[in-house]
């Protein structure tokens, strides 16, 4: 590539100076759009610090944080369903039948990664950050030291990072994979950074020093033993792979290296899109004026009650020198009419319109966001169908955000698929036992198991980069229960056998289910032993004389039968 077309000061590989210049340019953009102030104010209002920086001068500072309730409801509505990601081969691709087993292996690995990284919890935090800060970000990386329980080591890690720590090379484009470069920052301990730089053989590692106040976006949270660390990611034009460079302002931590994957390991979610900007609009940003209005009105009501709501005593100072306010205390006066000495002045009352205005302000804010009283559970359900219909209607405003979340989840699992193809190598997985091993198990006197651990080369996924489709959707909490109830009904009605029932019931409901299935199959395959029909003895054995009742009826006949043991010539 020509020298003047490189990303980093005319070069294809960054150094400390060029990486830090990109960081400073992105800082100016974020400061110009007021990102840091917006995030700080939104976070304060969300957690309840709603009078931050306001001088009250002794006045009441009440807060009725309905913003947190609304945000919690909307985020819960979007993330309450378990998200299920399923890989399947495209039917239009030649040889798709050969990808059925690899797709099943990939799905099992998806489940393991989801459990290992606790993806549902990450998605809740991911969505919460988008609602409060404007953007949510998930960053995944390869951990070569992760234990896997077999010889092959390494696995995928995923974490949630704040939008103030992510910088896009093209700030006017919100799409991640089209970026020329991406920078992720973090505050790291000086000792940790120096150790890593020394282990990587970086010259000048001992010159790494703490950041100055000029780098502090929030000086209150800045510690003296921290340094800003940059992770610069870019796509190599020749190989298409994502490269990385780790550095500080004064010294590199690690030389540029290839991550081995072809996708940026970042998922980005805007709560609401802003034209020509990669940062989105937070849900809380437009609601803060409503929260301030409610807090100010309540402060005025409290102040009015403190000053004039309680009755006051007015007395004649010429007759009573000091007023004694003790309970049951006597007050003496010097002559005159007692009725003209003192009287009570009733307290002022607050207009009944004020509580109604406050109630309407909160109610209309919640209603505009879909958090109606029905959806929030504040209404007594009189009709089941009506309640369900109203709840579905209340969830409609957040449906677009939910679909954007599903798209981000699909992007996340495509990154996982990329890591599998590039870094997993050959690993042991549970696969369907090949038919070629049936004779082997018969020779050793064992029944062929349904599954067996065999090595699988995950690099095969690189040969079919576009032949796996990912389907993302909500997996209802009640789906397994409904499936079990259906199986129970089929078994009770005699439409399926017990073996078919066990083969289809989800895992975890019956202990040692697989062993029970194998035992039932072995019992069905065993030959049935029939009694001998000749030469070995009679087919029917003497089972004794039948009992004849001796109760009412014909007692003489019954006694005769018992004596002779037969009914011959008696009837």
């Amino acid at each position: 590539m020509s020298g003047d077309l490189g990303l980093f000061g005319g070069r294809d590989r960054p150094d400390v100076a060029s990486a830090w210049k990109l960081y400073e340019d992105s800082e100016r953009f974020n400061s110009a759009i007021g990102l840091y102030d917006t995030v700080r104010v939104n976070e304060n209002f969300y957690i309840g610090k709603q009078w931050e920086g306001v001088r009250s001068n002794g006045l009441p500072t009440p807060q009725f944080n309905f913003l947190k309730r609304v945000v919690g409801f909307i985020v819960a509505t979007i993330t309450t369903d378990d998200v299920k990601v399923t890989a399947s081969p495209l039917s239009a691709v030649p040889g798709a039948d050969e990808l059925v087993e690899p797709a099943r292996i990939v799905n099992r690995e998806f489940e393991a990664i989801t459990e290992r990284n606790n993806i549902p919890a990450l998605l809740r935090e991911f969505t919460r950050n988008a609602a409060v800060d404007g953007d949510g970000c998930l960053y995944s990386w390869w951990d070569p030291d992760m234990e896997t329980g077999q010889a092959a080591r390494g696995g995928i890690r995923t974490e949630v990072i704040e939008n103030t720590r992510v910088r896009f090379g093209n700030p006017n484009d919100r799409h991640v994979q089209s970026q020329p470069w991406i920078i992720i920052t973090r505050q790291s301990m000086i000792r940790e950074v120096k150790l890593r730089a020394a282990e990587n053989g970086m010259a000048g590692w001992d010159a790494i020093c703490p950041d100055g106040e000029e780098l502090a976006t929030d000086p209150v949270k800045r510690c003296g033993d921290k340094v800003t660390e940059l992770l610069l990611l870019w796509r190599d034009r020749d190989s298409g792979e994502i490269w990385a460079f780790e550095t500080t302002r004064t010294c590199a931590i690690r030389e540029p290296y290839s991550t081995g994957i072809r996708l940026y390991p970042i998922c980005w979610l805007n709560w609401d899109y802003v034209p020509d900007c990669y940062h989105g609009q937070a849900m809380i940003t437009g609601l803060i004026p409503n929260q301030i209005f409610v807090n100010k009105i309540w402060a005025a009501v409290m102040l009015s009650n403190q000053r004039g709501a309680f009755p006051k005593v007015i007395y004649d100072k010429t007759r009573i020198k000091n007023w004694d306010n003790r309970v049951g205390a006597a007050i003496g006066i010097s002559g005159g009419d007692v009725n003209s000495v003192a009287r009570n002045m009733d307290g002022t009352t607050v207009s009944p319109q004020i509580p109604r205005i406050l109630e309407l302000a909160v109610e209309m804010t919640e209603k505009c966001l879909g958090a109606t009283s029905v959806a929030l559970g504040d209404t007594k359900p009189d009709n089941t169908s009506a309640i369900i219909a109203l709840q579905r209607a209340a969830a409609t405003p957040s449906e677009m955000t939910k679909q954007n979340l599903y798209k981000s989840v699909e992007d996340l699992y495509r990154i996982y698929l990329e890591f599998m193809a590039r870094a997993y190598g050959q690993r042991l997985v549970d696969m369907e036992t090949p038919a070629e091993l049936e004779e082997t198990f018969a020779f050793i006197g064992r029944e062929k198991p349904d599954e067996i651990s065999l090595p699988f080369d995950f690099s095969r996924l690189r040969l079919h980069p576009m032949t796996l489709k990912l389907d993302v959707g909500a997996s209802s909490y009640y789906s397994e229960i409904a499936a079990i109830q259906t199986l129970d009904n089929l078994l009770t009605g005699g439409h399926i056998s017990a073996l078919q029932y066990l083969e289809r019931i989800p895992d975890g409901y019956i202990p040692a289910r697989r062993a029970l299935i194998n035992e039932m199959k072995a019992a069905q395959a065993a030959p049935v032993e029939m009694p001998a029909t000749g030469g070995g003895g009679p087919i029917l054995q003497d089972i004794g004389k039948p009992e004849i009742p001796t109760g009412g009826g014909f007692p003489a006949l019954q006694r005769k039968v018992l004596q002779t043991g037969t009914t011959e010539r008696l009837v």
Side-chain angles (χ1 to χ4, degrees), residues 44 92 138 141 146 153 155 182 189-190 195-196 228 262 309 341 343 354 366 406 414-418 442 534 567:
N44 284 339
L138 289 172
W141 78 97
M146 180 186 293
R153 296 169 62 90
I182 296 177
M189 303 295 293
I190 287 286
L195 284 175
R196 289 167 49 206
T228 299
R262 295 174 178 267
V341 173
R343 66 183 180 87
I354 294 180
E366 295 176 345
Y406 285 171
R414 287 193 183 278
I415 294 171
Y416 289 164
L417 189 61
E418 185 74 10
T567 60

Side-chain angles (χ1 to χ4, degrees), residues 141 149 274 309 340 465 480 555:
W141 78 97
V274 175
S340 63
E480 288 189 357

Side-chain angles (χ1 to χ4, degrees), residues 489-523:
N489 294 334
L490 291 174
L491 180 62
T492 304
H495 301 292
I496 61 174
S497 64
L499 181 59
Q500 292 173 325
Y501 176 86
L502 291 175
E503 288 177 337
R504 288 162 177 78
I505 196 170
D507 293 332
Y509 287 90
I510 297 180
R513 181 174 64 92
R514 180 58 58 184
L516 185 58
I517 292 175
N518 294 334
E519 292 174 2
M520 294 182 68
K521 287 183 177 180

Side-chain angles (χ1 to χ4, degrees), residues 343-409:
R343 66 183 180 87
N344 285 330
M345 184 178 68
D346 295 335
T348 59
T349 59
V350 178
S351 172
Q353 293 182 354
I354 294 180
R356 180 56 183 164
I357 291 175
L358 292 174
E359 183 180 350
L360 280 175
V362 176
E363 182 180 341
M364 291 301 297
T365 302
E366 295 176 345
K367 185 177 180 180
C368 291
L369 295 172
T372 61
S373 58
V374 175
L376 292 171
D378 294 338
T379 302
K380 182 180 179 180
D382 297 325
N383 184 284
T384 305
S385 301
I387 289 297
I388 294 176
L390 289 174
Q391 287 180 339
R392 290 180 177 177
T396 302
S398 60
E399 188 63 28
M400 291 183 61
T401 306
K402 178 184 288 188
Q403 296 303 320
N404 293 336
L405 174 64
Y406 285 171
K407 181 181 180 300
S408 298
V409 173

Side-chain angles (χ1 to χ4, degrees), residues 266-295:
I266 290 176
C267 293
W268 191 256
L269 174 64
N270 298 133
W271 185 263
D272 201 359
Y273 298 138
V274 175
D276 296 330
C277 184
Y278 77 100
H279 287 296
Q281 177 84 357
M283 181 178 66
I284 278 189
T285 301
L287 305 181
I288 287 179
N290 298 16
Q291 182 70 68
I292 292 176
F293 170 78
V294 171
N295 290 347

Side-chain angles (χ1 to χ4, degrees), residues 199-216:
E199 291 174 354
N200 294 327
M202 296 292 101
W205 60 267
D206 53 344
I208 299 177
C209 58
D211 294 333
E213 289 297 326
E214 68 276 5
L215 297 180

